[in-house]
Amino acid sequence: MKNIAILGASGSIGQNTLSVIRNYPDKFKVVALSVNSDIGRLSSQIREFKPLAVCVNDRDRALALSSKIKSGVKIFSGRQGLEELVRDKRIDQVVFAISGASALTPLVSAIESGKDVALANKEALVMAGPIILRLARKNKVRLMPIDSEQSAIWQCLEGEDRGALKKIYLTASGGPLRKLNKRELKDIRLKQVLKHPRWKMGRKITVDSATLMNKGLELLEAMFLFGLAASQIKVLVHPEALIHSMVEFIDGVLIAQLSTTDMRIPIQYALSYPQRLKNTLPEIDFYKLGALHFEKPDFKKFPCLGLAYAAARRLGTFPCVLNAANEVAVAEFLKEKLKFRHIPEVSAKVMRSHTNKLNPALSDILQADAWARQEALRVIARLN
Ligand code: NDP
Ligand code: MG
């Protein structure tokens, strides 16, 4: 029996993780849950899964929960509460399904206290990849990716000679706006952006999919997770989203990972690794499918991808700065205070005024993150 903590339990990945766990009550036990503020959903999860402890980031909502819940569950609040909760010795594995940079310090806490990690959150890794990987090695912690592309590469590399890896192909469905031209993209509205053709996800990652920043973040994520150079990673638009990524070896052999487009598959693998467990999700029907398609991404239409390659070549604090500027821009777009076409412009301007710090410590990362957020808000104020 594996004891699991799920941070970001009320979100899309969090709920999918609970749905995997529901199928295997003899293999996984939920011992801790966290949300930002959605105590309604958390209350019903407490009733169903009976965790030992929960954390609500919003302190007022945490107080409201404690007056509502009669069971003996321990309630933590705030970022520090979460950092404390993940250190609980009864937890074996922590699922990071929180969105955004706020996952970083709890991730550090989980690794320092020796917990295996199943990582859906990509922002923390983008911000501080080398630090996270060093810490994981030092504490003998396994980092199991949930993001479907990273899970694919991980599975393709299992048992292979890493020294023989030449490059990887990160596949991208192309997002909801793939077929629009530059002019149509210019004034695209929030509602259209939130309609993703392949995946049902949280709002932030859905916007990132539309700008292709999601692929840019994944490029950085893959670099850090698998120790690659930016030049070894190729982004490949693949609208059917069945090949979740591929690896190519020095002898010209490629290995691809395919599965039904459902996040429960990579989530389940990260929980059950190295075992594979049965599930009842629909199989791919190749007779019906007929063909798979591939395209080169359009860097002119989607400048975020180019920004991510630039950050990947420069490293240091650049990936963190790009992530922070993008988070701020996306948040403003979600509030309908920024136009879609300005999202990459904000990140580009913030990156232009950044002075890089190579080999940053965690404190440098947190400082660069705070600086980039302020700078992004300044840029946005000037744009509007
Ligand atoms: P959602 O927006 O659906 O869920 C986010 C979760 O994190 C919610 O439980 C939310 O709580 C919680 N949360 C948000 N902000 C904070 C905070 N400051 N402190 C604590 N908790 C917080 O996101 P997704 O599930 O779509 O994505 C989660 C992560 O996984 C992202 O990093 C994303 O990039 C990555 N990912 C997602 C995929 C997907 O298919 N959805 C695929 C691959 C990666 P509340 O509900 O209370 O606001
Ligand atoms: Mg992905």
Side-chain angles (χ1 to χ4, degrees):
M1 182 70 89
K2 204 187 236 185
N3 286 340
I4 313 261
I6 304 168
L7 314 189
S10 51
S12 157
I13 294 287
Q15 292 185 62
N16 272 319
T17 306
L18 288 169
S19 121
V20 169
I21 290 179
R22 212 174 263 128
N23 293 332
Y24 296 100
D26 54 330
K27 293 210 180 296
F28 310 116
K29 162 134 187 60
V30 175
V31 291
L33 294 168
S34 97
V35 300
N36 183 37
S37 62
D38 187 351
I39 58 168
R41 203 174 286 278
L42 180 61
S43 305
S44 65
Q45 293 174 346
I46 293 172
R47 277 193 297 278
E48 180 180 354
F49 293 96
K50 304 187 174 50
L52 304 167
V54 298
C55 182
V56 181
N57 187 46
D58 182 311
R59 287 173 201 280
D60 293 337
R61 306 294 286 162
L63 275 177
L65 180 73
S66 52
S67 58
K68 193 171 156 188
I69 288 282
K70 300 282 172 281
S71 73
V73 61
K74 185 158 185 200
I75 301 173
F76 293 87
S77 70
R79 180 89 59 90
Q80 278 171 349
L82 194 55
E83 288 165 20
E84 195 184 331
L85 177 141
V86 295
R87 291 179 183 274
D88 191 311
K89 288 202 169 56
R90 293 167 291 188
I91 300 170
D92 299 316
Q93 187 175 23
V94 186
V95 177
F96 279 84
I98 296 180
S99 57
S102 45
L104 179 59
T105 54
L107 178 60
V108 168
S109 279
I111 297 175
E112 279 176 347
S113 62
K115 307 295 174 347
D116 278 342
V117 165
L119 194 60
N121 176 284
K122 54 193 84 182
E123 292 88 349
L125 203 58
V126 167
M127 294 168 77
I131 297 173
I132 302 289
L133 270 103
R134 253 195 323 269
L135 258 186
R137 268 194 301 275
K138 185 174 155 211
N139 291 285
K140 298 192 174 53
V141 155
R142 289 189 299 195
L143 282 182
M144 284 160 289
I146 284 179
D147 201 355
S148 57
E149 294 75 5
Q150 319 299 342
S151 175
I153 294 159
W154 178 38
Q155 294 180 57
C156 292
L157 289 175
E158 266 294 285
E160 294 293 341
D161 171 10
R162 288 282 178 106
L165 178 65
K166 192 166 158 193
K167 61 173 178 284
I168 66 170
Y169 286 94
L170 273 185
T171 51
S173 71
L177 314 178
R178 181 173 62 95
K179 293 223 172 91
L180 303 188
N181 63 37
K182 226 177 157 184
R183 194 180 46 79
E184 290 167 321
L185 271 178
K186 234 175 141 184
D187 290 309
I188 190 102
R189 306 301 296 257
L190 179 62
K191 224 168 107 189
Q192 282 165 279
V193 172
L194 291 180
K195 257 194 243 149
H196 194 279
R198 295 279 162 201
W199 301 97
K200 171 105 192 61
M201 312 177 285
R203 284 155 63 88
K204 195 264 175 178
I205 185 175
T206 303
V207 177
D208 285 346
S209 297
T211 60
L212 287 201
M213 180 56 94
N214 183 47
K215 218 42 60 179
L217 296 176
E218 287 175 1
L219 156 81
L220 290 152
E221 204 185 1
M223 268 182 81
F224 297 137
L225 273 176
F226 304 106
L228 300 168
S231 56
Q232 287 177 288
I233 307 178
K234 278 211 147 49
V235 172
L236 185 62
V237 175
H238 164 45
E240 292 84 7
L242 281 182
I243 297 181
H244 298 298
S245 277
M246 310 191 255
V247 303
E248 182 177 335
F249 295 100
I250 47 174
D251 59 358
V253 168
L254 285 111
I255 300 182
Q257 187 262 348
L258 287 81
S259 58
T260 299
T261 310
D262 192 312
M263 283 311 293
R264 284 172 293 182
I265 294 176
I267 291 171
Q268 178 176 304
Y269 189 65
L271 296 184
S272 71
Y273 175 85
Q275 243 190 311
R276 286 194 186 272
L277 301 176
K278 201 174 158 181
N279 65 34
T280 52
L281 296 172
E283 290 174 7
I284 301 176
D285 184 340
F286 285 97
Y287 290 159
K288 263 197 200 144
L289 187 68
L292 295 178
H293 297 86
F294 304 99
E295 283 168 26
K296 199 174 161 183
D298 186 337
F299 281 74
K300 282 214 179 89
K301 233 163 76 176
F302 299 105
C304 286
L305 203 49
L307 294 176
Y309 269 104
R313 282 189 296 267
R314 291 181 198 170
L315 293 176
T317 39
F318 266 108
C320 167
V321 162
L322 172 61
N323 177 67
N326 180 62
E327 275 193 35
V328 171
V330 172
E332 294 299 296
F333 173 69
L334 285 171
K335 288 187 249 164
E336 301 193 86
K337 288 186 176 162
L338 186 75
K339 292 203 169 71
F340 182 76
R341 69 186 138 100
H342 285 149
I343 298 176
E345 203 172 321
V346 171
S347 297
K349 285 195 164 144
V350 173
M351 280 175 78
R352 236 175 279 143
S353 49
H354 181 59
T355 312
N356 198 12
K357 176 145 179 44
L358 287 171
N359 303 314
L362 189 60
S363 54
D364 300 318
I365 295 286
L366 296 174
Q367 215 178 336
D369 177 74
W371 170 84
R373 280 169 201 276
Q374 271 189 354
E375 188 63 22
L377 286 173
R378 247 198 305 269
V379 170
I380 291 168
R382 264 183 260 134
L383 277 171
N384 287 335

